[in-house]
Amino acid sequence: MQDGQAADSRHSKVLIIGSGPAGYTAGIYAARGALSPILIEGPQPGGQLTITTEVENWPGDESVLGPELMARMGEQVRKAGVEVVSDLIVDVDLTRTPFLAISDGGTHYTADTIVVATGASARWLGLESEAAYRGRGVSACATCDGFFYRGRVCAVVGGGNTAVEEALYLTNFAEKVYLIHRRDTLRADRTNQRRLRANPKIEMIWNAEVAEVLGDTSSVNGIVLRNTRDGTTSQLSLHGLFIAIGHDPATALFKGQLHMDEEGYILVAPGSTATSVPGVFAAGDVQDKLFRQAVTSAGMGCMAALEAERYLAGHNTHMIATDGTDANLQI
Ligand code: FAD
Ligand code: NAP
Protein backbone atom coordinates (compact mmCIF):
# COMPACT_ATOMS: atom_id res chain seq x y z
CA MET A 1 0.00 0.00 0.00
CA GLN A 2 1.14 3.51 -0.82
CA ASP A 3 1.43 6.22 1.83
CA GLY A 4 -0.74 9.31 1.93
CA GLN A 5 0.82 11.06 -1.11
CA ALA A 6 -2.16 10.51 -3.45
CA ALA A 7 -3.44 13.37 -5.56
CA ASP A 8 -6.62 13.34 -3.51
CA SER A 9 -5.54 13.15 0.10
CA ARG A 10 -7.42 14.16 3.26
CA HIS A 11 -6.31 14.18 6.87
CA SER A 12 -8.47 14.16 10.01
CA LYS A 13 -7.95 13.60 13.70
CA VAL A 14 -10.82 11.14 13.70
CA LEU A 15 -11.91 9.11 10.68
CA ILE A 16 -15.21 7.30 11.17
CA ILE A 17 -15.92 4.44 8.77
CA GLY A 18 -19.65 3.71 8.66
CA SER A 19 -22.92 5.65 8.87
CA GLY A 20 -25.14 3.42 11.01
CA PRO A 21 -26.14 4.33 14.60
CA ALA A 22 -22.57 3.60 15.79
CA GLY A 23 -20.82 5.77 13.20
CA TYR A 24 -23.33 8.61 13.44
CA THR A 25 -23.14 8.73 17.24
CA ALA A 26 -19.35 8.65 17.15
CA GLY A 27 -19.58 11.57 14.72
CA ILE A 28 -21.78 13.66 16.99
CA TYR A 29 -19.49 13.13 19.99
CA ALA A 30 -16.27 13.68 18.04
CA ALA A 31 -17.64 16.87 16.50
CA ARG A 32 -18.76 18.15 19.89
CA GLY A 33 -15.23 17.37 21.12
CA ALA A 34 -13.94 19.78 18.43
CA LEU A 35 -12.17 16.97 16.59
CA SER A 36 -13.58 17.85 13.13
CA PRO A 37 -14.27 14.22 12.18
CA ILE A 38 -14.68 12.90 8.67
CA LEU A 39 -17.33 10.19 8.36
CA ILE A 40 -17.40 7.81 5.40
CA GLU A 41 -20.95 6.67 4.61
CA GLY A 42 -20.13 3.45 2.78
CA PRO A 43 -22.44 1.30 0.67
CA GLN A 44 -25.49 1.68 2.92
CA PRO A 45 -25.93 5.28 4.09
CA GLY A 46 -27.77 5.11 7.43
CA GLY A 47 -26.91 1.43 7.94
CA GLN A 48 -29.14 -1.56 8.54
CA LEU A 49 -32.09 0.34 10.01
CA THR A 50 -32.74 1.85 6.59
CA ILE A 51 -34.14 -1.50 5.45
CA THR A 52 -36.64 -1.97 8.24
CA THR A 53 -40.05 -0.50 9.00
CA GLU A 54 -41.13 0.41 12.54
CA VAL A 55 -38.48 0.67 15.22
CA GLU A 56 -40.17 0.50 18.61
CA ASN A 57 -37.22 0.32 20.95
CA TRP A 58 -35.35 3.50 20.20
CA PRO A 59 -35.73 5.63 23.37
CA GLY A 60 -37.70 8.80 22.80
CA ASP A 61 -39.63 7.40 19.84
CA GLU A 62 -42.49 5.07 20.68
CA SER A 63 -42.54 4.01 17.05
CA VAL A 64 -40.45 5.38 14.22
CA LEU A 65 -39.68 4.15 10.72
CA GLY A 66 -36.07 2.97 10.43
CA PRO A 67 -35.24 5.09 7.35
CA GLU A 68 -36.80 8.16 9.01
CA LEU A 69 -34.83 7.64 12.21
CA MET A 70 -31.57 7.32 10.31
CA ALA A 71 -32.33 10.35 8.13
CA ARG A 72 -32.90 12.40 11.30
CA MET A 73 -29.68 11.08 12.79
CA GLY A 74 -27.81 11.98 9.60
CA GLU A 75 -29.20 15.50 9.73
CA GLN A 76 -28.10 15.91 13.36
CA VAL A 77 -24.62 14.61 12.48
CA ARG A 78 -24.20 17.15 9.69
CA LYS A 79 -25.50 19.98 11.86
CA ALA A 80 -23.01 18.99 14.57
CA GLY A 81 -20.23 19.70 12.06
CA VAL A 82 -19.26 16.22 10.92
CA GLU A 83 -18.04 16.09 7.33
CA VAL A 84 -20.07 13.24 5.87
CA VAL A 85 -18.51 11.82 2.73
CA SER A 86 -20.22 9.50 0.28
CA ASP A 87 -17.38 7.07 -0.28
CA LEU A 88 -16.35 3.45 0.21
CA ILE A 89 -13.15 2.35 1.94
CA VAL A 90 -11.48 -0.53 0.10
CA ASP A 91 -8.13 -0.78 1.86
CA VAL A 92 -6.55 0.26 5.15
CA ASP A 93 -3.05 0.34 6.60
CA LEU A 94 -3.10 0.38 10.38
CA THR A 95 0.60 -0.45 10.72
CA ARG A 96 1.63 3.15 10.07
CA THR A 97 0.76 6.49 11.65
CA PRO A 98 -1.13 8.41 10.72
CA PHE A 99 -3.37 5.52 9.73
CA LEU A 100 -4.33 5.24 6.08
CA ALA A 101 -7.67 4.36 4.52
CA ILE A 102 -8.10 4.30 0.75
CA SER A 103 -11.44 4.68 -0.99
CA ASP A 104 -12.59 3.04 -4.20
CA GLY A 105 -12.22 6.39 -5.93
CA GLY A 106 -8.56 6.49 -4.87
CA THR A 107 -8.84 9.12 -2.13
CA HIS A 108 -6.27 8.61 0.65
CA TYR A 109 -7.75 9.37 4.06
CA THR A 110 -5.05 9.67 6.71
CA ALA A 111 -6.13 9.87 10.33
CA ASP A 112 -4.72 10.02 13.86
CA THR A 113 -7.51 7.77 15.09
CA ILE A 114 -10.09 5.59 13.37
CA VAL A 115 -13.52 4.51 14.52
CA VAL A 116 -14.52 1.33 12.72
CA ALA A 117 -18.33 1.20 12.52
CA THR A 118 -18.84 -0.88 9.39
CA GLY A 119 -21.64 -2.99 10.88
CA ALA A 120 -22.84 -6.24 9.41
CA SER A 121 -24.67 -7.59 6.36
CA ALA A 122 -27.22 -10.30 5.60
CA ARG A 123 -26.15 -13.93 5.54
CA TRP A 124 -27.37 -16.31 2.82
CA LEU A 125 -27.98 -20.05 2.95
CA GLY A 126 -25.33 -20.67 0.31
CA LEU A 127 -27.44 -22.72 -2.11
CA GLU A 128 -26.78 -22.37 -5.82
CA SER A 129 -30.50 -22.14 -6.52
CA GLU A 130 -30.84 -19.42 -3.86
CA ALA A 131 -28.21 -17.32 -5.64
CA ALA A 132 -29.80 -18.02 -9.02
CA TYR A 133 -33.18 -16.67 -7.87
CA ARG A 134 -31.91 -13.72 -5.82
CA GLY A 135 -33.97 -10.74 -6.90
CA ARG A 136 -36.42 -13.05 -8.69
CA GLY A 137 -38.22 -14.42 -5.63
CA VAL A 138 -35.37 -14.76 -3.15
CA SER A 139 -34.68 -11.75 -0.94
CA ALA A 140 -33.15 -10.77 2.40
CA CYS A 141 -35.35 -7.72 2.87
CA ALA A 142 -39.11 -7.95 3.30
CA THR A 143 -39.36 -4.20 3.65
CA CYS A 144 -37.79 -3.75 0.26
CA ASP A 145 -39.55 -6.56 -1.61
CA GLY A 146 -42.68 -7.52 0.38
CA PHE A 147 -44.89 -5.31 -1.75
CA PHE A 148 -44.33 -7.59 -4.75
CA TYR A 149 -46.05 -10.49 -2.97
CA ARG A 150 -49.52 -9.05 -2.54
CA GLY A 151 -51.98 -11.95 -2.30
CA ARG A 152 -49.21 -14.52 -2.75
CA VAL A 153 -47.52 -17.15 -0.59
CA CYS A 154 -44.15 -16.47 1.03
CA ALA A 155 -41.77 -18.11 3.45
CA VAL A 156 -39.17 -16.68 5.78
CA VAL A 157 -36.17 -18.72 6.93
CA GLY A 158 -34.79 -18.15 10.43
CA GLY A 159 -35.80 -18.09 14.07
CA GLY A 160 -34.50 -14.74 15.34
CA ASN A 161 -36.14 -11.33 15.73
CA THR A 162 -35.44 -10.43 12.12
CA ALA A 163 -37.14 -13.56 10.77
CA VAL A 164 -40.22 -13.04 12.93
CA GLU A 165 -40.46 -9.36 12.05
CA GLU A 166 -40.01 -10.12 8.36
CA ALA A 167 -42.80 -12.72 8.57
CA LEU A 168 -45.10 -10.29 10.40
CA TYR A 169 -44.38 -7.54 7.91
CA LEU A 170 -45.05 -9.83 4.96
CA THR A 171 -48.55 -10.55 6.27
CA ASN A 172 -49.41 -6.96 5.24
CA PHE A 173 -49.20 -8.18 1.65
CA ALA A 174 -49.04 -11.94 1.40
CA GLU A 175 -52.00 -14.26 1.70
CA LYS A 176 -49.94 -16.72 3.74
CA VAL A 177 -46.48 -16.73 5.28
CA TYR A 178 -44.54 -19.78 6.43
CA LEU A 179 -41.78 -19.32 8.97
CA ILE A 180 -39.22 -22.07 8.54
CA HIS A 181 -36.88 -22.73 11.44
CA ARG A 182 -34.24 -25.42 11.75
CA ARG A 183 -34.99 -26.07 15.44
CA ASP A 184 -38.14 -26.23 17.56
CA THR A 185 -37.60 -23.08 19.63
CA LEU A 186 -37.26 -19.53 18.44
CA ARG A 187 -34.47 -17.12 19.29
CA ALA A 188 -36.81 -14.13 18.84
CA ASP A 189 -37.90 -12.17 21.94
CA ARG A 190 -41.19 -12.76 23.74
CA THR A 191 -42.99 -9.76 22.26
CA ASN A 192 -42.25 -10.91 18.74
CA GLN A 193 -43.20 -14.49 19.56
CA ARG A 194 -46.52 -13.29 20.99
CA ARG A 195 -47.24 -11.30 17.81
CA LEU A 196 -46.29 -14.27 15.70
CA ARG A 197 -48.66 -16.61 17.52
CA ALA A 198 -51.47 -14.06 17.27
CA ASN A 199 -51.14 -13.73 13.50
CA PRO A 200 -53.42 -16.18 11.67
CA LYS A 201 -51.60 -15.73 8.36
CA ILE A 202 -48.35 -17.21 9.69
CA GLU A 203 -47.71 -20.94 9.91
CA MET A 204 -44.59 -22.30 11.60
CA ILE A 205 -42.59 -25.09 10.00
CA TRP A 206 -40.30 -26.42 12.72
CA ASN A 207 -37.14 -28.51 12.36
CA ALA A 208 -36.76 -27.81 8.67
CA GLU A 209 -34.24 -26.29 6.33
CA VAL A 210 -34.41 -25.24 2.71
CA ALA A 211 -32.60 -27.79 0.55
CA GLU A 212 -33.36 -26.17 -2.80
CA VAL A 213 -35.20 -23.27 -4.36
CA LEU A 214 -37.44 -24.25 -7.27
CA GLY A 215 -38.72 -22.13 -10.10
CA ASP A 216 -39.26 -21.62 -13.78
CA THR A 217 -36.78 -19.54 -15.69
CA SER A 218 -38.06 -16.23 -14.39
CA SER A 219 -39.32 -16.69 -10.83
CA VAL A 220 -39.56 -18.88 -7.75
CA ASN A 221 -42.48 -21.29 -7.50
CA GLY A 222 -41.49 -23.51 -4.60
CA ILE A 223 -38.85 -24.94 -2.32
CA VAL A 224 -37.63 -28.35 -1.22
CA LEU A 225 -37.64 -28.68 2.56
CA ARG A 226 -35.50 -31.12 4.49
CA ASN A 227 -36.50 -32.20 7.97
CA THR A 228 -33.50 -31.60 10.25
CA ARG A 229 -34.43 -34.53 12.50
CA ASP A 230 -35.03 -37.39 10.10
CA GLY A 231 -33.71 -36.02 6.80
CA THR A 232 -36.98 -36.53 4.93
CA THR A 233 -37.78 -34.05 2.18
CA SER A 234 -40.97 -32.42 1.00
CA GLN A 235 -42.02 -29.67 -1.40
CA LEU A 236 -43.77 -26.42 -0.63
CA SER A 237 -45.34 -24.14 -3.24
CA LEU A 238 -44.61 -20.45 -2.80
CA HIS A 239 -43.64 -17.30 -4.65
CA GLY A 240 -41.27 -15.49 -2.32
CA LEU A 241 -38.49 -16.76 -0.09
CA PHE A 242 -37.01 -14.38 2.47
CA ILE A 243 -33.74 -15.34 4.13
CA ALA A 244 -33.34 -13.93 7.65
CA ILE A 245 -30.60 -16.01 9.24
CA GLY A 246 -28.37 -13.34 10.65
CA HIS A 247 -25.50 -11.23 9.51
CA ASP A 248 -21.78 -11.24 8.96
CA PRO A 249 -19.61 -8.44 10.30
CA ALA A 250 -18.12 -6.21 7.58
CA THR A 251 -14.54 -6.72 8.66
CA ALA A 252 -12.75 -8.15 5.60
CA LEU A 253 -10.93 -4.82 5.25
CA PHE A 254 -9.27 -5.24 8.63
CA LYS A 255 -8.29 -8.91 8.41
CA GLY A 256 -4.72 -9.43 9.52
CA GLN A 257 -4.59 -5.93 10.99
CA LEU A 258 -7.07 -6.08 13.88
CA HIS A 259 -7.59 -9.05 16.15
CA MET A 260 -10.89 -10.79 15.46
CA ASP A 261 -12.78 -13.80 16.74
CA GLU A 262 -13.39 -16.89 14.62
CA GLU A 263 -16.54 -15.34 13.09
CA GLY A 264 -14.72 -12.16 12.09
CA TYR A 265 -16.05 -9.86 14.82
CA ILE A 266 -13.43 -7.33 15.93
CA LEU A 267 -12.13 -7.99 19.44
CA VAL A 268 -12.19 -5.08 21.85
CA ALA A 269 -10.97 -4.66 25.40
CA PRO A 270 -13.66 -5.37 28.03
CA GLY A 271 -15.71 -2.27 28.79
CA SER A 272 -14.04 -0.38 25.95
CA THR A 273 -14.04 -0.02 22.17
CA ALA A 274 -10.24 -0.24 21.95
CA THR A 275 -8.98 -2.77 19.41
CA SER A 276 -5.61 -4.48 19.17
CA VAL A 277 -4.19 -1.36 17.48
CA PRO A 278 -3.89 1.66 19.79
CA GLY A 279 -5.83 4.57 18.27
CA VAL A 280 -8.26 2.33 16.39
CA PHE A 281 -11.67 1.83 18.00
CA ALA A 282 -14.53 -0.44 16.93
CA ALA A 283 -18.20 0.25 17.65
CA GLY A 284 -21.54 -1.40 16.94
CA ASP A 285 -22.39 -4.64 15.15
CA VAL A 286 -18.86 -4.94 13.82
CA GLN A 287 -17.69 -5.94 17.30
CA ASP A 288 -20.93 -7.05 18.98
CA LYS A 289 -22.63 -10.34 18.19
CA LEU A 290 -24.58 -10.45 21.43
CA PHE A 291 -26.83 -7.39 21.51
CA ARG A 292 -26.78 -6.04 17.93
CA GLN A 293 -29.22 -3.24 18.59
CA ALA A 294 -29.37 0.34 17.36
CA VAL A 295 -29.19 1.71 20.86
CA THR A 296 -26.22 -0.43 21.92
CA SER A 297 -24.44 0.44 18.67
CA ALA A 298 -25.06 4.13 19.32
CA GLY A 299 -23.73 3.68 22.87
CA MET A 300 -20.57 2.09 21.53
CA GLY A 301 -20.21 4.90 19.01
CA CYS A 302 -20.27 7.36 21.90
CA MET A 303 -17.63 5.33 23.76
CA ALA A 304 -15.40 5.13 20.68
CA ALA A 305 -15.44 8.89 20.13
CA LEU A 306 -14.71 9.59 23.79
CA GLU A 307 -11.90 7.04 23.79
CA ALA A 308 -10.47 8.56 20.59
CA GLU A 309 -10.55 11.96 22.25
CA ARG A 310 -8.68 10.62 25.28
CA TYR A 311 -6.18 8.85 23.06
CA LEU A 312 -5.50 12.06 21.14
CA ALA A 313 -5.08 13.94 24.41
CA GLY A 314 -2.32 11.50 25.31
CA HIS A 315 -4.15 9.61 28.02
CA ASN A 316 -3.63 5.91 28.45
CA THR A 317 -6.38 3.90 26.84
CA HIS A 318 -7.33 0.29 26.92
CA MET A 319 -5.67 -2.11 24.56
CA ILE A 320 -6.17 -5.77 24.00
CA ALA A 321 -3.67 -8.54 24.28
CA THR A 322 -3.38 -11.24 21.63
CA ASP A 323 -5.70 -13.48 23.65
CA GLY A 324 -8.39 -10.82 23.57
CA THR A 325 -8.05 -9.82 27.23
CA ASP A 326 -7.36 -6.31 28.42
CA ALA A 327 -3.56 -5.95 28.32
CA ASN A 328 -3.64 -2.73 30.20
CA LEU A 329 -4.69 0.01 31.40
CA GLN A 330 -6.60 2.83 32.87
CA ILE A 331 -8.22 5.73 31.18
P1 FAD B 1 -24.86 -0.71 10.51
O1 FAD B 1 -26.19 -0.16 10.79
O2 FAD B 1 -24.74 -2.08 9.92
O3 FAD B 1 -24.06 0.31 9.58
C1 FAD B 1 -22.82 -0.02 9.01
C2 FAD B 1 -22.34 1.13 8.18
O4 FAD B 1 -21.01 0.85 7.72
C3 FAD B 1 -23.18 1.39 6.95
O5 FAD B 1 -23.45 2.76 6.87
C4 FAD B 1 -22.27 0.99 5.79
O6 FAD B 1 -22.50 1.79 4.65
C5 FAD B 1 -20.89 1.25 6.37
N1 FAD B 1 -19.80 0.50 5.76
C6 FAD B 1 -19.68 -0.85 5.63
N2 FAD B 1 -18.57 -1.15 4.95
C7 FAD B 1 -17.95 0.02 4.65
C8 FAD B 1 -16.78 0.38 3.96
N3 FAD B 1 -15.98 -0.55 3.41
N4 FAD B 1 -16.47 1.69 3.82
C9 FAD B 1 -17.26 2.64 4.36
N5 FAD B 1 -18.38 2.35 5.05
C10 FAD B 1 -18.72 1.07 5.18
N6 FAD B 1 -32.14 -2.90 16.13
C11 FAD B 1 -32.92 -2.30 17.03
O7 FAD B 1 -32.43 -1.77 18.02
N7 FAD B 1 -34.27 -2.20 16.84
C12 FAD B 1 -34.88 -2.71 15.76
O8 FAD B 1 -36.12 -2.63 15.64
C13 FAD B 1 -34.06 -3.34 14.78
N8 FAD B 1 -34.62 -3.81 13.67
C14 FAD B 1 -33.81 -4.38 12.73
C15 FAD B 1 -34.40 -4.85 11.53
C16 FAD B 1 -33.62 -5.41 10.55
C17 FAD B 1 -34.26 -5.91 9.28
C18 FAD B 1 -32.21 -5.51 10.75
C19 FAD B 1 -31.34 -6.12 9.68
C20 FAD B 1 -31.63 -5.06 11.93
C21 FAD B 1 -32.43 -4.50 12.93
N9 FAD B 1 -31.88 -4.03 14.10
C22 FAD B 1 -32.68 -3.42 15.03
C23 FAD B 1 -30.44 -4.09 14.36
C24 FAD B 1 -29.77 -2.71 14.03
O9 FAD B 1 -30.15 -2.27 12.75
C25 FAD B 1 -28.25 -2.81 14.11
O10 FAD B 1 -27.89 -3.30 15.37
C26 FAD B 1 -27.58 -1.46 13.90
O11 FAD B 1 -27.96 -0.86 12.70
C27 FAD B 1 -26.05 -1.62 13.91
O12 FAD B 1 -25.51 -0.35 13.75
P2 FAD B 1 -24.01 -0.14 13.26
O13 FAD B 1 -23.83 1.33 13.21
O14 FAD B 1 -23.09 -0.94 14.06
O15 FAD B 1 -23.93 -0.75 11.80
P1 NAP C 1 -30.04 -14.03 14.93
O1 NAP C 1 -30.65 -13.57 16.18
O2 NAP C 1 -28.62 -14.42 14.90
O3 NAP C 1 -30.92 -15.26 14.41
C1 NAP C 1 -30.57 -15.95 13.24
C2 NAP C 1 -31.54 -17.11 13.06
O4 NAP C 1 -31.28 -17.78 11.83
C3 NAP C 1 -31.41 -18.14 14.17
O5 NAP C 1 -32.67 -18.57 14.58
C4 NAP C 1 -30.61 -19.27 13.50
O6 NAP C 1 -30.97 -20.54 13.95
C5 NAP C 1 -31.04 -19.16 12.05
N1 NAP C 1 -29.98 -19.60 11.14
C6 NAP C 1 -28.68 -19.23 11.11
N2 NAP C 1 -28.03 -19.83 10.10
C7 NAP C 1 -28.93 -20.61 9.47
C8 NAP C 1 -28.86 -21.47 8.35
N3 NAP C 1 -27.73 -21.63 7.65
N4 NAP C 1 -29.98 -22.12 7.98
C9 NAP C 1 -31.13 -21.95 8.65
N5 NAP C 1 -31.27 -21.15 9.73
C10 NAP C 1 -30.18 -20.48 10.13
O7 NAP C 1 -30.20 -12.94 13.75
P2 NAP C 1 -31.32 -11.82 13.52
O8 NAP C 1 -32.66 -12.37 13.74
O9 NAP C 1 -30.99 -11.24 12.20
O10 NAP C 1 -31.05 -10.73 14.63
C11 NAP C 1 -29.77 -10.09 14.71
C12 NAP C 1 -29.74 -9.15 15.90
O11 NAP C 1 -30.57 -8.00 15.61
C13 NAP C 1 -30.30 -9.83 17.15
O12 NAP C 1 -29.54 -9.42 18.24
C14 NAP C 1 -31.69 -9.30 17.23
O13 NAP C 1 -32.17 -9.27 18.56
C15 NAP C 1 -31.52 -7.89 16.62
N6 NAP C 1 -32.81 -7.45 16.12
C16 NAP C 1 -33.63 -6.87 17.01
C17 NAP C 1 -34.90 -6.52 16.64
C18 NAP C 1 -35.78 -5.92 17.68
O14 NAP C 1 -35.32 -5.68 18.78
N7 NAP C 1 -37.06 -5.67 17.41
C19 NAP C 1 -35.33 -6.78 15.34
C20 NAP C 1 -34.47 -7.41 14.44
C21 NAP C 1 -33.20 -7.75 14.85
P3 NAP C 1 -30.61 -21.03 15.45
O15 NAP C 1 -31.59 -20.32 16.34
O16 NAP C 1 -30.81 -22.48 15.35
O17 NAP C 1 -29.19 -20.62 15.66
Side-chain angles (χ1 to χ4, degrees):
M1 174 175 292
Q2 306 280 305
D3 66 9
Q5 302 307 312
D8 190 7
S9 180
R10 306 284 317 277
H11 182 80
S12 58
K13 289 182 192 154
V14 183
L15 178 70
I16 299 162
I17 308 177
S19 57
Y24 275 165
T25 308
I28 292 168
Y29 275 80
R32 289 174 62 83
L35 297 175
S36 309
I38 292 179
L39 184 151
I40 311 293
E41 280 186 318
Q44 189 175 45
Q48 290 171 66
L49 279 189
T50 59
I51 59 159
T52 193
T53 49
E54 281 87 7
V55 176
E56 296 176 350
N57 49 18
W58 179 259
D61 280 309
E62 214 169 286
S63 178
V64 59
L65 293 173
E68 183 195 321
L69 175 62
M70 295 318 297
R72 279 193 349 229
M73 247 187 244
E75 203 178 316
Q76 184 181 0
V77 164
R78 287 173 175 85
K79 278 188 186 156
V82 180
E83 184 181 344
V84 179
V85 183
S86 172
D87 215 341
L88 173 76
I89 300 301
V90 292
D91 204 358
V92 294
D93 187 351
L94 307 179
T95 62
R96 45 156 282 169
T97 49
F99 303 120
L100 175 62
I102 300 180
S103 77
D104 63 346
T107 303
H108 283 206
Y109 296 93
T110 57
D112 302 323
T113 63
I114 291 185
V115 174
V116 179
T118 46
S121 60
R123 200 177 284 164
W124 298 93
L125 297 172
L127 302 168
E128 259 179 45
S129 51
E130 173 197 50
Y133 285 105
R134 217 181 280 173
R136 294 188 295 146
V138 174
S139 167
C141 179
T143 317
C144 320
D145 300 328
F147 183 78
F148 300 114
Y149 298 94
R150 194 172 287 278
R152 312 206 92 183
V153 177
C154 293
V156 177
V157 180
N161 275 321
T162 301
V164 173
E165 290 187 359
E166 300 269 275
L168 289 165
Y169 180 73
L170 285 169
T171 61
N172 291 322
F173 310 100
E175 170 194 297
K176 182 170 185 69
V177 180
Y178 294 100
L179 181 55
I180 301 164
H181 184 36
R182 62 185 177 183
R183 296 187 294 123
D184 61 2
T185 52
L186 292 169
R187 208 177 270 272
D189 64 30
R190 280 163 192 257
T191 307
N192 270 333
Q193 291 200 35
R194 205 171 44 242
R195 287 175 179 159
L196 179 75
R197 281 195 299 270
N199 194 311
K201 280 189 174 180
I202 301 179
E203 183 181 330
M204 282 302 310
I205 301 181
W206 299 107
N207 302 309
E209 60 191 9
V210 177
E212 199 180 345
V213 182
L214 307 171
D216 55 29
T217 45
S218 62
S219 58
V220 169
N221 59 24
I223 52 174
V224 176
L225 285 171
R226 183 168 40 233
N227 186 294
T228 52
R229 293 206 161 150
D230 59 20
T232 54
T233 58
S234 56
Q235 278 196 23
L236 189 65
S237 294
L238 49 74
H239 309 102
L241 181 67
F242 290 80
I243 312 299
I245 60 170
H247 291 78
D248 289 315
T251 53
L253 262 181
F254 308 98
K255 222 152 245 171
Q257 303 202 51
L258 295 176
H259 293 157
M260 296 176 194
D261 70 9
E262 63 291 345
E263 292 172 69
Y265 287 88
I266 296 173
L267 292 172
V268 292
S272 162
T273 60
T275 68
S276 51
V277 175
V280 178
F281 304 89
D285 281 15
V286 79
Q287 58 108 313
D288 167 34
K289 58 183 174 192
L290 192 58
F291 301 110
R292 292 187 288 194
Q293 297 293 300
V295 72
T296 48
S297 298
M300 285 180 257
C302 157
M303 289 166 65
L306 294 178
E307 288 186 291
E309 190 177 347
R310 285 164 188 258
Y311 175 85
L312 289 167
H315 293 286
N316 281 343
T317 61
H318 291 268
M319 198 180 130
I320 56 169
T322 42
D323 64 358
T325 58
D326 196 338
N328 199 6
L329 305 155
Q330 306 127 11
I331 282 190

